[in-house]
Amino acid sequence: MEAVERILIGDRCEILVSDRLPSPLLPPRRGHPPSRVVVLSQPGRVAEVAAAVADRIEQDDASSGSPGVEVHTVGIPDRDEAKTLGVAEELYRHLDRLRVDRYDTIVGVGGGAATDLAGFVASTWLRGVETVYVPTTLLGAVDAAIGGKTGVNREGKNQIGTFRHPRRVVVSIDVLRSLPRGLLIEGMAETLKAGLIGDSRLAEILEEHGLESPLPEVVTRAVKVKAGVVAEDFFETGRRAILNYGHTIGHAVETAIGMPHGHAVAIGMVAAGAVSAEKAGYPYQLRQREMITALGLPVQSPPVDRSVIMELLGRDKKRRGGPLPKMVLLEDFGKPVVVDVSSRDVEIGLTAIGL
């Protein structure tokens, strides 16, 4: 029997990290089992994973002793093209046609956009149906699929969304090993962030081995960091804010430039590292920058006017009252703090990334 690491977020969600797709793939259901399972799939290599997921669910059902589940696969667009109200509306039409009810299950297969969308649709259809996520990117596995944040974009990222945990997250190391190099690099940003804020050994492993780091260990460690923080603060009213290290300026750059999320977070961590050195005495600004570079991630932003970044920061959904959102800074590896920042602090961060 293959090893399966089981990580719990209270009694709300379980995360399975295993070599391959586990069996049974769906979580046990007390009482009424699902009659219909809807698998949402992005195109390309994700469609192959989604087909394997659908097959596994059907095989599990056939061996259950009381088979009868219908499995339907529905395609959705790639990346953030999936995260719109228009796509959500189309999915509602599919669910209506299939007569999906509260006892059924929606399975989101794909990157962070797929799981964000699946969770949003599932949490709003009939006020909530069970969801299972199968992330197919490193970024999704260690970050987007964990924590119960769902949403679609409007003028900004995730302006419309809900807090609702999936019942289960299935992380297959085999799926992650087949990632194109670009997607592996992008996911390393959130993996490194997890190490910097909550697991110094994880940061050291990434520093020592770079892209050759052992995936089972780094994924499990990163997942445990996020799951632990989320378990303490599901609705992001306190400690959960530390997960935004690198995201404040990073999200603004991402929106302004339209660059991949992981690259934007890497750039945002460079900015946050510079502000941390100035404001919190962080001794590892340069070391952190070298770690980011060694993972193949960018440390400089493409050209964009500072005024655009400042405007986006002023519209940040995490801003509370003041003109700028709070920033997560580091005093040391594993010692994050959430502080108010001034325009001058932000300028220090922007200078560090070439803006």
Side-chain angles (χ1 to χ4, degrees):
M1 180 180 292
E2 66 187 56
V4 177
E5 183 88 28
R6 185 169 180 256
I7 302 160
L8 299 177
I9 303 179
D11 60 355
R12 295 172 177 264
C13 174
E14 65 175 354
I15 303 144
L16 305 183
V17 182
S18 61
D19 291 337
R20 300 173 182 83
L21 293 176
S23 181
L25 190 142
L26 298 182
R29 178 79 70 85
R30 296 189 186 96
H32 199 302
S35 299
R36 287 158 291 269
V37 176
V38 179
V39 178
L40 305 185
S41 169
Q42 293 175 305
R45 61 179 288 276
V46 176
E48 299 177 9
V49 179
V53 167
D55 286 346
R56 176 57 51 83
I57 294 170
E58 289 174 341
Q59 291 167 15
D60 292 340
D61 180 60
S63 62
S64 68
S66 56
V69 69
E70 301 173 11
V71 182
H72 304 271
T73 301
V74 178
I76 58 175
D78 200 15
R79 285 192 175 261
D80 273 15
E81 289 182 15
K83 291 181 58 171
T84 70
L85 286 172
V87 173
E89 173 63 24
E90 183 59 31
L91 287 178
Y92 294 140
R93 293 192 189 99
H94 277 290
L95 298 180
D96 191 37
R97 284 194 293 269
L98 294 171
R99 297 293 186 263
V100 170
D101 62 36
R102 285 184 177 178
Y103 296 104
D104 294 329
T105 301
I106 294 175
V107 181
V109 182
T115 54
D116 281 1
L117 174 70
F120 175 73
V121 168
S123 68
T124 50
W125 181 252
L126 303 179
R127 296 195 175 100
V129 301
E130 179 180 78
T131 45
V132 172
Y133 298 162
V134 183
T136 60
T137 65
L138 180 58
L139 188 66
V142 302
D143 184 56
I146 300 166
K149 284 186 177 181
T150 81
V152 294
N153 302 333
R154 190 171 170 269
E155 292 182 3
K157 285 182 67 68
N158 302 315
Q159 281 185 318
I160 304 170
T162 63
F163 283 95
R164 189 170 187 271
H165 278 299
R167 180 66 186 84
R168 174 178 280 181
V169 179
V170 176
V171 180
S172 165
I173 298 298
D174 260 6
V175 169
L176 300 184
R177 283 198 179 105
S178 69
L179 279 173
R181 183 178 176 85
L183 288 179
L184 178 66
I185 290 172
E186 185 181 357
M188 283 297 181
E190 289 285 1
T191 308
L192 176 60
K193 181 208 74 179
L196 293 174
I197 66 169
D199 184 346
S200 59
R201 180 56 192 149
L202 172 56
E204 290 167 355
I205 290 170
L206 293 170
E207 184 176 34
E208 292 167 12
H209 302 286
L211 293 177
E212 302 304 316
S213 297
L215 273 178
E217 182 173 9
V218 299
V219 168
T220 301
R221 283 181 173 273
V223 167
K224 285 182 176 178
V225 169
K226 183 158 189 182
V229 173
V230 170
E232 294 181 26
D233 180 21
F234 180 45
F235 291 105
E236 198 172 40
T237 58
R239 180 169 172 75
R240 183 166 177 164
I242 67 172
L243 296 171
N244 293 318
Y245 183 64
H247 285 60
T248 305
I249 290 175
H251 265 168
V253 171
E254 180 179 358
T255 301
I257 304 295
M259 68 191 316
H261 176 73
H263 291 64
V265 169
I267 290 168
M269 287 193 292
V270 173
V275 181
S276 296
E278 178 73 18
K279 202 172 179 71
Y282 182 46
Y284 298 126
Q285 177 191 358
L286 295 180
R287 182 181 174 189
Q288 176 188 287
R289 188 185 182 101
E290 289 170 357
M291 293 164 77
I292 292 169
T293 300
L295 289 169
L297 289 158
V299 294
Q300 294 277 287
S301 170
V304 60
D305 194 282
R306 276 192 179 188
S307 64
V308 174
I309 301 298
M310 296 303 292
E311 179 184 353
L312 288 167
L313 290 175
R315 287 163 38 194
D316 191 300
K317 63 182 180 295
K318 299 181 182 69
R319 183 175 57 85
R320 296 182 180 178
L324 293 170
K326 292 178 181 290
M327 277 188 73
V328 183
L329 306 180
L330 291 179
E331 295 177 337
D332 200 341
F333 286 172
K335 292 185 178 180
V337 290
V338 183
V339 302
D340 290 308
V341 292
S342 65
S343 295
R344 179 182 176 276
D345 295 326
V346 173
E347 288 170 0
I348 290 171
L350 296 180
T351 298
I353 59 174
L355 296 181

